[in-house]
Amino acid sequence: MPERQIRLFGDPVLKTVSDPIIEIDDRVRGLVQDLVDSVGLPGRAGVAASQIGVNLRAFSYNVDGVIGYILNPTVVELSGEPDLVEEGCLSVPGLWYPTKRYPFARVAGIDLDGNPVELSGDGLMAQALQHETDHLDGFLYIDRLDKENRRAAMKEIRESTWF
């Protein structure tokens, strides 16, 4: 499979709320394969469909050697005291900023057979679930930064070679 190009900050698809998947067909199965293949590359904990230019609610994850996907995810639980964790994003390459995330997260959705699925975890998994669901809701992690860090991130983006 040729690698799907990751959309970068400034692409309108990254700021668009993703549409729910209504019908599971060959197009959706192909999307899931692309997401799973894309997240398997080194240094990737998650890839949302919007990051590869598809405006559908789906993402893949790769945490602790476990690769998977979920369709139509919604956050059903966030718990613990939110804390600042270093976070980066494939769509904002080269930037890492402290981002407030809950230490535990649970999302619910479906699989390719339409069966209910729940994913949950703490640490990196909790962070990935929140980060990828944010993508599907039209948010980038830099949208969650405090004012000072957001200003610094925007300056860094404007000065980057990829922007």
Side-chain angles (χ1 to χ4, degrees), residues 6-18:
I6 298 293
R7 302 296 178 97
L8 300 178
F9 175 86
D11 190 313
V13 73
L14 296 173
K15 298 301 286 177
T16 303
V17 176
S18 297

Side-chain angles (χ1 to χ4, degrees), residues 5-80:
Q5 181 179 357
I6 298 293
R7 302 296 178 97
L8 300 178
F9 175 86
D11 190 313
V13 73
L14 296 173
K15 298 301 286 177
T16 303
V17 176
S18 297
D19 294 330
I21 294 169
I22 305 299
E23 180 183 350
I24 298 171
D25 55 15
D26 287 343
R27 178 174 170 242
V28 171
R29 283 186 278 281
L31 169 62
V32 167
Q33 188 62 58
D34 286 351
L35 288 169
V36 168
D37 289 346
S38 294
V39 82
L41 296 172
R44 296 183 176 186
V47 176
S50 55
Q51 289 183 281
I52 58 172
V54 179
N55 189 32
L56 290 174
R57 287 193 75 81
F59 70 76
S60 58
Y61 60 91
N62 182 357
V63 177
D64 297 327
V66 177
I67 294 177
Y69 71 92
I70 190 167
L71 309 178
N72 293 336
T74 57
V75 175
V76 295
E77 182 183 358
L78 296 171
S79 63

Side-chain angles (χ1 to χ4, degrees), residues 88-139:
C89 180
L90 297 170
S91 294
V92 191
L95 277 69
W96 290 86
Y97 281 92
T99 306
K100 196 172 274 194
R101 295 292 185 189
Y102 287 88
F104 178 84
R106 181 185 322 274
V107 299
I110 59 173
D111 65 15
L112 282 172
D113 295 319
N115 297 317
V117 173
E118 279 196 0
L119 300 173
S120 63
D122 51 18
L124 182 58
M125 185 63 161
Q127 187 178 359
L129 295 175
Q130 292 169 79
H131 182 106
E132 300 310 325
T133 304
D134 273 357
H135 273 301
L136 303 179
D137 292 334
F139 294 101

